[in-house]
Amino acid sequence: MTIEMAKILNQEDDYMKYSEILAKGKVSYEDKLWNGRYYNYDSSKKSYKDSIMAAQTVGHWYLKACDLVGDQHEVFPSHHIRSSLDTVYQMNVLRFQQGTLGAVNGMRPDGKVDTASMQAEEVWTGITYALAATMIQEGMLDEAFRTASGVYKTVYERTGLGFQTPEGYFAKSEYRALGYMRPMAIWGMQYALEKFGHLQK
């Protein structure tokens, strides 16, 4: 983003500075977090370091929605994005409550929900919609709508919270933070459909 801003403003020094930061950051990010299938939660030595985080591709989603992804500006390798999305779909969506609730925030590689924190055990409505928007951007329409339908059916059909959408909920029908703003990420799905819907695999 800052590279593009510097380019628009014709600030050559800033352009070079942020380009160098990005180049170093990309190498470090890949070296520390990519494990061959997805991006680890963090690079610590904690037991949950390799948890599968539903929101791991949100940076790519934002950059692509802003037209800042391409040959010149690729931040995350496209095959890593696709592998991460496939992994999140298989693990955080389909293996969580038979794929009926959306994407759980944290899943362990063995298929058990990450219980290291309360947030890891939740489905965040906005993150699920952002994940679905990213899938649409990458041509994964079927997976996107299967993912998003879990939130829609839970919020509108099972709990009757359509006009006070919660930030998050658990598998056991507990929810919190009604009227939260992040679920407006559903509009990211609409935008992605209009812009990238033709890319279906």
Side-chain angles (χ1 to χ4, degrees):
M1 185 64 75
T2 53
I3 295 170
E4 189 66 19
M5 290 167 65
K7 181 179 174 184
I8 291 168
L9 296 171
N10 201 26
Q11 299 290 324
E12 185 65 28
D13 290 344
D14 288 338
Y15 182 87
M16 294 304 297
K17 172 185 171 183
Y18 292 117
S19 293
E20 288 173 13
I21 291 170
L22 177 61
K24 290 178 185 174
K26 288 195 298 189
V27 171
S28 179
Y29 193 84
E30 292 294 322
D31 286 348
K32 291 181 178 180
L33 298 177
W34 181 250
N35 68 19
R37 274 183 64 213
Y38 60 92
Y39 291 101
N40 287 335
Y41 176 72
D42 66 23
S43 61
S44 73
K45 298 192 185 323
K46 306 263 173 134
S47 61
Y48 53 78
K49 70 177 183 180
D50 59 349
S51 283
I52 304 163
M53 187 171 66
Q56 64 184 269
T57 58
V58 74
H60 174 76
W61 167 54
Y62 178 76
L63 290 171
K64 193 159 185 174
C66 293
D67 283 329
L68 295 175
V69 173
D71 296 336
Q72 186 178 357
H73 296 298
E74 184 177 77
V75 176
F76 309 98
S78 58
H79 61 287
H80 289 187
I81 293 298
R82 183 54 188 252
S83 180
S84 295
L85 289 173
D86 285 338
T87 300
V88 169
Y89 180 67
Q90 290 299 321
M91 301 297 288
N92 300 55
V93 178
L94 297 183
R95 289 189 70 169
F96 178 67
Q97 300 296 308
Q98 292 79 46
T100 62
L101 292 183
V104 67
N105 279 338
M107 182 67 83
R108 298 294 300 137
D110 65 2
K112 294 179 182 170
V113 173
D114 184 344
T115 58
S117 71
M118 179 183 79
Q119 289 89 351
E121 298 179 60
E122 291 182 308
V123 172
W124 284 357
T125 53
I127 291 299
T128 295
Y129 287 144
L131 172 62
T134 310
M135 290 172 170
I136 293 168
Q137 288 176 342
E138 300 305 313
M140 301 169 65
L141 266 66
D142 291 341
E143 295 91 335
F145 281 95
R146 173 78 187 265
T147 298
S149 72
V151 170
Y152 172 79
K153 289 177 180 175
T154 298
V155 172
Y156 282 83
E157 297 177 4
R158 294 188 194 106
T159 62
L161 295 172
F163 293 98
Q164 47 187 347
T165 304
E167 175 196 18
Y169 53 82
F170 297 90
K172 295 182 178 178
S173 301
E174 298 168 340
Y175 57 86
R176 65 181 180 86
L178 292 177
Y180 204 72
M181 297 301 287
R182 191 178 291 147
M184 292 183 73
I186 194 169
W187 290 105
M189 291 180 65
Q190 178 67 33
Y191 181 73
L193 273 173
E194 291 174 3
K195 191 164 185 151
F196 302 101
H198 65 284
L199 298 176
Q200 184 170 17
K201 62 177 182 185

